[in-house]
């Protein structure tokens, strides 16, 4: 089962001459949609997803990613626009996958630093650790690192496809001491992320 929002969106489309500001706005969108678990715990808009569902995020087939969820995940509809961002929850653990436009291939090298700046601007107590390069094709750089805030812990991952002009940002957060099974389930979702929806 593929979950796809049919609403039209111009997310990820950069106007000629718009300059780096467009990429900055895209990064702001990415973190504005990250639902910090403690802050969003009062919302009950979750749409249960069948185990094995393939969730697609991105404005079109050529500019998209997909990931698969296991049992118990719910899509947070109020925090999601599947043209550009999906937020999901499994118990106290929240996971967000976001599409970000790149105006040039060079911007791929700055994604982690930009993610850190926006996280700290929106959540001053949050910290994004140093990234570790992940095993990936040379044309598709990927970084992974720890994400923490007071009482919360998780990870962030950035996968870039510079030739296609976009990147995918993934964040996972849950209360410290959250059940290991929930964090392991989130890690499986993160590992399932693939650039290019089938």
């Amino acid at each position: 089962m593929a979950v796809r929002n049919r609403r039209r969106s111009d997310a990820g489309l950069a106007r000629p001459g718009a300059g780096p500001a467009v990429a900055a706005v895209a990064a702001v969108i990415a973190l504005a949609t990250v639902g910090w678990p403690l802050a969003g715990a009062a919302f009950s808009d979750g749409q249960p997803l069948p185990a094995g569902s393939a969730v697609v995020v991105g404005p079109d087939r050529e500019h998209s990613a997909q990931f698969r969820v296991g049992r118990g995940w719910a899509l947070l509809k109020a925090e999601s626009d599947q043209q550009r961002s999906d937020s999901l929850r499994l118990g106290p653990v929240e996971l967000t996958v976001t599409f970000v436009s790149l105006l040039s291939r060079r911007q791929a090298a700055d994604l982690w630093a930009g993610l850190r700046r926006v996280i700290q601007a929106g959540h001053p107590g949050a910290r994004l650790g140093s990234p570790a390069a992940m095993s990936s094709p040379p044309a598709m750089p990927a970084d992974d690192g720890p994400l923490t805030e007071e009482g919360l812990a998780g990870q962030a991952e950035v996968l870039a496809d510079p030739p296609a002009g976009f990147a995918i940002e993934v964040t996972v957060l849950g209360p410290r001491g959250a059940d290991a099974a929930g964090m392991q389930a989130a890690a499986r979702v993160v590992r399932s992320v693939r650039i290019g929806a089938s």
Side-chain angles (χ1 to χ4, degrees):
M1 172 182 177
V3 180
R4 166 65 92 170
N5 189 325
R6 297 181 180 275
R7 288 179 294 173
R8 180 176 176 80
S9 169
D10 61 357
L13 302 181
R15 297 190 305 274
V22 174
V25 169
V28 170
I29 289 172
L31 268 294
T33 56
V34 172
W36 249 234
L38 294 185
F43 293 96
S44 58
D45 67 332
Q47 171 189 331
L49 297 175
S53 294
V55 184
V56 180
V57 59
D60 55 54
R61 186 180 181 85
E62 288 71 32
H63 302 85
S64 63
Q66 88 168 16
F67 56 95
R68 290 190 177 274
V69 300
R71 182 178 302 174
W73 286 96
L75 178 69
L76 302 179
K77 295 180 291 183
E79 299 175 25
S80 302
D81 173 355
Q82 289 171 303
Q83 298 291 324
R84 56 192 176 190
S85 184
D86 283 311
S87 288
L88 292 81
R89 180 174 289 135
L90 176 65
V93 178
E94 191 156 324
L95 179 149
T96 298
V97 180
T98 304
F99 176 95
V100 178
S101 292
L102 300 176
L103 294 180
S104 72
R105 296 189 180 192
R106 293 190 303 272
Q107 288 185 325
D110 299 325
L111 283 167
W112 196 265
L115 189 59
R116 177 181 287 119
R117 287 193 297 270
V118 177
I119 286 175
Q120 293 177 342
H123 302 271
R127 294 292 181 269
L128 180 62
S130 298
M134 300 171 58
S135 177
S136 62
M140 194 173 296
D143 290 320
D144 179 87
L147 176 61
T148 60
E149 193 185 9
E150 184 177 0
L152 301 173
Q155 70 178 110
E157 180 176 309
V158 174
L159 301 94
D161 188 349
F166 73 96
I168 298 296
E169 297 175 344
V170 185
T171 58
V172 176
L173 274 174
R176 290 185 186 276
D179 66 291
M183 296 304 287
Q184 291 169 1
R188 288 193 292 271
V189 175
V190 172
R191 289 195 298 269
S192 78
V193 175
R194 295 291 183 270
I195 296 287
S198 58

